[in-house]
Amino acid sequence: KQEVTQIPAALSVPEGENLVLNCSFTDSAIYNLQWFRQDPGKGLTSLLLIQSSQREQTSGRLNASLDKSSGRSTLYIAASQPGDSATYLCAVGDYKLSFGAGTTVTVRA
Amino acid sequence: GAVVSQHPSRVICKSGTSVKIECRSLDFQATTMFWYRQFPKQSLMLMATSNEGSKATYEQGVEKDKFLINHASLTLSTLTVTSAHPEDSSFYICSAIRTSGSGPASDTQYFGPGTRLTVL
């Protein structure tokens, strides 16, 4: 069974600082890895999807890397803003996703 | 872009009653939808796979008689929590697969906004 772990569970940074969020998974035979954003009491917003054959994906200030051999992915958010405050979830799988518990980020103005 | 809606967004019910949650794909047909549950401060857990025109497939530990899933059309799946109890209080999220016809690598999964169920 795939286990997904996200460290740290919570993170608080001043505005402008770069964010580094970590995700690890136990089964390296993954299909895709996705990063989502979840605001309190809301659904999920897909941020980046990395297919198993890819090493990274970028979108604006966001960059996600994937190292299947070590079972790790890292989400980088450059020049953080208060609007980046949310919980970030990592998930692996094809359609049936296994999620981590998330990292709750607070960006202080 | 593709949108998946859920109704209601939140519901409060008494213990012992049944609650139905709808998941709709608004501008695409979805033969497959998924239902997840999220307890506070925890990750989303897959409950079941909803297949249009056939029985749902439940994950281990999920009671199929308690969580009834019906996928009667290509745009609608419903989750009914029967005889709800306070421990069923949770955030329920559905997702729908928009197939591209080019294989799974090109398909896209869209998530609904979630339904907050509180059982008193």
Side-chain angles (χ1 to χ4, degrees):
Chain A
K1 179 185 175 184
Q2 180 73 267
E3 300 286 342
V4 182
T5 304
Q6 292 187 245
I7 295 173
L11 187 60
S12 179
V13 299
E15 182 177 3
E17 191 165 302
N18 296 331
L19 290 164
V20 180
L21 309 180
N22 298 300
C23 171
S24 61
F25 45 93
T26 54
D27 185 352
S28 61
I30 65 170
Y31 195 81
N32 293 329
L33 185 141
Q34 295 188 66
W35 283 95
F36 295 88
R37 169 182 173 142
Q38 185 176 31
D39 292 289
K42 303 294 185 181
L44 306 179
T45 299
S46 180
L47 298 175
L48 292 169
L49 183 152
I50 310 176
Q51 296 179 357
S52 62
S53 59
Q54 298 174 324
R55 297 296 298 273
E56 68 175 343
Q57 280 287 342
T58 298
S59 177
R61 294 184 294 112
L62 277 60
N63 173 274
S65 64
L66 172 63
D67 184 344
K68 286 203 314 179
S69 62
S70 65
R72 296 185 181 189
S73 175
T74 302
L75 176 66
Y76 299 91
I77 303 178
S80 62
Q81 305 168 359
D84 295 328
S85 298
T87 296
Y88 292 83
L89 300 171
C90 165
V92 298
D94 46 11
Y95 304 135
K96 300 171 68 172
L97 297 176
S98 297
F99 282 84
T103 295
T104 299
V105 171
T106 302
V107 181
R108 308 185 303 271
Chain B
V3 176
V4 174
S5 70
Q6 284 185 238
H7 177 79
S9 58
R10 59 178 62 226
V11 56
I12 301 173
C13 69
K14 294 182 179 179
S15 184
T17 61
S18 294
V19 174
K20 180 183 287 187
I21 302 170
E22 295 183 346
C23 176
R24 292 182 185 273
S25 56
L26 297 184
D27 59 357
F28 66 98
Q29 294 181 331
T31 57
T32 304
M33 293 184 176
F34 298 93
W35 286 96
Y36 292 84
R37 179 169 56 184
Q38 184 180 33
F39 292 107
K41 304 295 185 181
Q42 297 185 26
S43 62
L44 277 76
M45 299 296 295
L46 179 65
M47 298 176 66
T49 303
S50 174
N51 302 297
E52 188 270 335
S54 65
K55 291 184 178 180
T57 305
Y58 291 82
E59 296 300 304
Q60 189 174 8
V62 178
E63 300 175 58
K64 63 179 181 180
D65 294 330
K66 181 169 186 59
F67 298 100
L68 301 179
I69 292 173
N70 187 323
H71 196 150
S73 78
L74 287 171
T75 59
L76 174 64
S77 174
T78 60
L79 168 67
T80 300
V81 183
T82 63
S83 186
H85 291 283
E87 57 266 30
D88 299 323
S89 298
S90 187
F91 193 56
Y92 293 87
I93 301 179
C94 71
S95 70
I97 304 299
R98 182 176 195 170
T99 55
S100 66
S102 301
S106 301
D107 296 342
T108 306
Q109 182 168 186
Y110 297 95
F111 283 82
T115 296
R116 173 73 60 193
L117 170 63
T118 302
V119 184
L120 303 177

